[in-house]
Amino acid sequence: MAKPKRRYICSECGSVSTRWQGQCPDCQEWNTLVEEAPETKFTAKHDLSSGGRAIRFESLDAPTKPLARNTTGLAEFDRALGGGIVPGSAILMGGEPGIGKSTLLLQAAASISKAGGEVVYVSGEEATGQVRMRASRLGVADAPLRLASATSVRDILTTLGQGDPPAMLVVDSIQTMHSDQIEGAPGTVSQVRASAFELIRFAKEKGTCLVLVGHVTKDGNIAGPRVLEHMVDTVMSFEGERSHQYRILRCLKNRFGAVDEIGVFAMESEGLTEVSNPSSLFLSGREEPMAGSAVFPAIEGTRPVLVEVQALIVRLQSGATPRRAVVGWDNGRLAMLLAVLEARCGLSFSTAEVYLNVAGGYRLSDPAADLAVAAALVSALADKPLAQDAIWLGEVALSGEIRPCAHAGLRLREAAKLGFSNGIGPELAGQDVAGLRYAPVSGVAALVDRVMATQ
Ligand code: TYD
Ligand code: MG
């Protein structure tokens, strides 16, 4: 019988090659091919339709124990997790280097241990002295957590296996961990996968909540294999601009809850503080009325967040191709809005450079932001500031019509709470616009008239 062929499987895209190559021929990723056991020929012996044990089926409404959740002591962290951490679950905390992952987890770990939970914090990146220094800066040096600097998964699990399992185990970071079951340096695809596998198995068996820190590459992927994201229950991402103060904790995958809530923090000199009213952060610094600035009531999960959209238009003298640059919004959507404004209102952007920025480094993906962007663009083009106390919402259709958006009532109520007194958007049927003067606009032409009429 011929020897079964070796196979190599790409850990990014799953494509199969018959020989090892440095680069995957399908997805072009480097160093992602790993050897897997050869495929076996199926014979009668492999027929799986007999010889097994019968499995028991249950109905969906059978009684289940409610999911236990423990608070992290940080309300914003709990909120992003969907209500706290679930014992026995594995969380992957991704983020760029220096964004504050270690700070956040040390604060959460300290708070859980102060509340009586046993917490083990293993750092593979820093010496215990460095972690201790950070703890004293954060004012949590008195927290009774157990700290170690280690990189061998065997050492960690052997030590933890000897006593009672901790309620929480933080491993900072998974890329520094090393399993002696597998060859290769820490941080390689197979090492990261094997180390995570062993740690997750421990967590599931013992009911420990495991938090793995994972560094993120420039393009936003957790460095190393994507498989890590499939192995854990929850994938979180800690984001923000390092030059800005605020940080957003997002949940990208959650087996135990919704993924649309965010936690907002500000990085201060003595650690991360929670921001329970994010709008105040994203709107700060709007004292002078400026042309090209419009406020949009975004929704994050169930919480409205007011953000400022800024547009800048620079007329070009020469015939050079004008630039369009967007930060925090979609490039394609900007092109579409410019085209709609040109086609439906006769405005011309073709000889002008257009820059669009969502203030504070916030990222918008909600189509309801169209009207605020359009208002900012028209205001910048006409060099007319919009009313300071106005918010703009609604989706712009290719026809130029303004379409309704979800949660309009919630968005308007939040804006009213924050002192805005004018709302401009689509026709609202029976929506509660408490505390706000609401003026519907039917299309972009009416929007341009509105902007031009601003005093
Ligand atoms: P860190 O938690 O080490 O980031 P990560 O683990 O994601 O790599 O945080 C690093 C940055 O946070 C560092 O550049 C300094 C800043 N920082 C503060 O501003 N205040 C603080 O109290 C702490 C501990 C850090
Ligand atoms: Mg760190």
Side-chain angles (χ1 to χ4, degrees):
M1 201 177 92
K3 218 170 123 213
K5 285 222 175 67
R6 285 164 178 270
R7 334 186 280 158
Y8 298 87
I9 299 199
C10 172
S11 58
E12 291 283 331
C13 71
S15 91
V16 182
S17 310
T18 48
R19 61 187 176 86
W20 192 85
Q21 298 167 76
Q23 188 180 22
C24 170
D26 274 333
C27 68
Q28 318 297 330
E29 284 292 326
W30 288 92
N31 296 324
T32 54
L33 293 198
V34 266
E35 187 177 350
E36 300 250 342
E39 236 169 336
T40 33
K41 284 256 163 10
F42 287 102
T43 60
K45 205 174 91 212
H46 292 96
D47 179 7
L48 296 184
S49 61
S50 62
R53 272 180 302 163
I55 55 171
R56 203 161 56 88
F57 294 102
E58 296 180 17
S59 69
L60 274 178
D61 60 358
T64 30
K65 272 210 309 228
L67 213 57
R69 286 186 189 273
N70 299 329
T71 171
T72 58
L74 300 169
E76 292 292 308
F77 198 165
D78 291 348
R79 172 200 284 275
L81 278 169
I85 52 174
V86 176
S89 68
I91 300 171
L92 177 64
M93 174 71 71
E96 283 178 25
I99 207 71
K101 301 181 293 297
S102 306
T103 308
L104 176 70
L105 290 172
L106 189 59
Q107 281 181 248
S111 142
I112 292 171
S113 69
K114 276 187 186 169
E118 169 102 18
V119 182
V120 171
Y121 190 108
V122 180
S123 178
E125 304 201 328
E126 294 163 300
T128 47
Q130 278 172 293
V131 181
R132 240 182 270 123
M133 249 160 57
R134 177 178 298 130
S136 69
R137 184 163 157 198
L138 298 172
V140 297
D142 58 339
L145 62 80
R146 290 199 288 163
L147 173 67
S149 176
T151 55
S152 157
V153 177
R154 187 184 292 277
D155 291 353
I156 297 168
L157 294 184
T158 308
T159 312
L160 294 183
Q162 282 162 1
D164 284 342
M168 185 185 193
L169 167 62
V170 179
V171 175
D172 186 0
S173 65
I174 187 64
Q175 278 100 354
T176 56
M177 291 298 134
H178 177 260
S179 159
D180 54 24
Q181 299 277 74
I182 288 257
E183 288 195 10
T188 53
V189 175
S190 46
Q191 274 295 348
V192 166
R193 180 155 56 170
S195 304
F197 181 77
E198 293 300 325
L199 290 162
I200 293 169
R201 188 161 64 180
F202 172 86
K204 299 273 166 215
E205 261 171 32
K206 309 284 181 175
T208 294
C209 170
L210 171 70
V211 185
L212 301 172
V213 173
H215 291 297
V216 158
T217 51
K218 283 189 298 301
D219 51 6
N221 288 332
I222 307 262
R226 285 311 283 267
V227 283
L228 214 48
E229 297 186 10
H230 302 293
M231 290 163 72
V232 295
D233 302 302
T234 306
V235 178
M236 308 199 84
S237 147
F238 203 37
E239 304 170 359
E241 297 278 325
R242 246 174 297 174
S243 50
H244 283 88
Q245 209 191 11
Y246 85 90
R247 304 281 182 270
I248 290 186
L249 184 61
R250 243 177 241 286
C251 204
L252 306 180
K253 157 183 168 178
N254 194 359
R255 286 191 182 140
F256 305 115
V259 290
D260 50 6
E261 293 287 357
I262 59 166
V264 184
F265 297 87
M267 179 63 94
E268 316 266 359
S269 58
E270 58 294 327
L272 292 158
T273 52
E274 300 182 65
V275 179
S276 48
N277 177 9
S279 303
S280 60
L281 208 65
F282 298 119
L283 290 180
S284 58
R286 294 180 75 246
E287 276 90 34
E288 292 289 303
M290 289 280 285
S293 152
V295 176
F296 168 63
I299 290 271
E300 287 286 355
T302 55
R303 185 161 58 164
V305 179
L306 273 75
V307 290
E308 184 191 351
V309 177
Q310 303 165 343
L312 176 68
I313 292 185
V314 184
R315 285 263 165 233
L316 285 185
Q317 302 302 334
S318 66
T321 316
R323 277 187 62 152
R324 272 98 180 81
V326 187
V327 179
W329 207 49
D330 184 52
N331 242 317
R333 238 178 142 85
L334 174 66
M336 186 203 87
L337 266 188
L338 291 174
V340 170
L341 288 171
E342 295 209 355
R344 309 290 169 204
C345 313
L347 302 181
S348 170
F349 295 95
S350 56
T351 57
E353 303 204 317
V354 179
Y355 300 91
L356 192 80
N357 178 40
V358 180
Y362 193 86
R363 223 180 40 211
L364 277 178
S365 56
D366 187 348
D370 287 356
L371 190 69
V373 175
L377 288 170
V378 175
S379 154
L381 189 72
D383 197 21
K384 264 182 176 293
L386 301 171
Q388 281 272 81
D389 60 353
I391 52 146
W392 307 76
L393 72 163
E395 184 177 343
V396 174
L398 286 181
S399 61
E401 272 174 296
I402 313 298
R403 294 278 168 80
C405 56
H407 309 297
L410 185 64
R411 298 176 199 254
L412 295 172
R413 279 195 296 281
E414 169 77 1
K417 247 193 296 179
L418 287 162
F420 287 82
S421 45
N422 283 298
I424 298 112
E427 291 287 350
L428 297 179
Q431 290 269 10
D432 171 21
V433 291
L436 215 94
R437 270 194 308 281
Y438 189 77
V441 281
S442 54
V444 279
L447 166 78
V448 173
D449 293 344
R450 178 72 47 91
V451 174
M452 292 308 182
T454 314
Q455 295 305 309

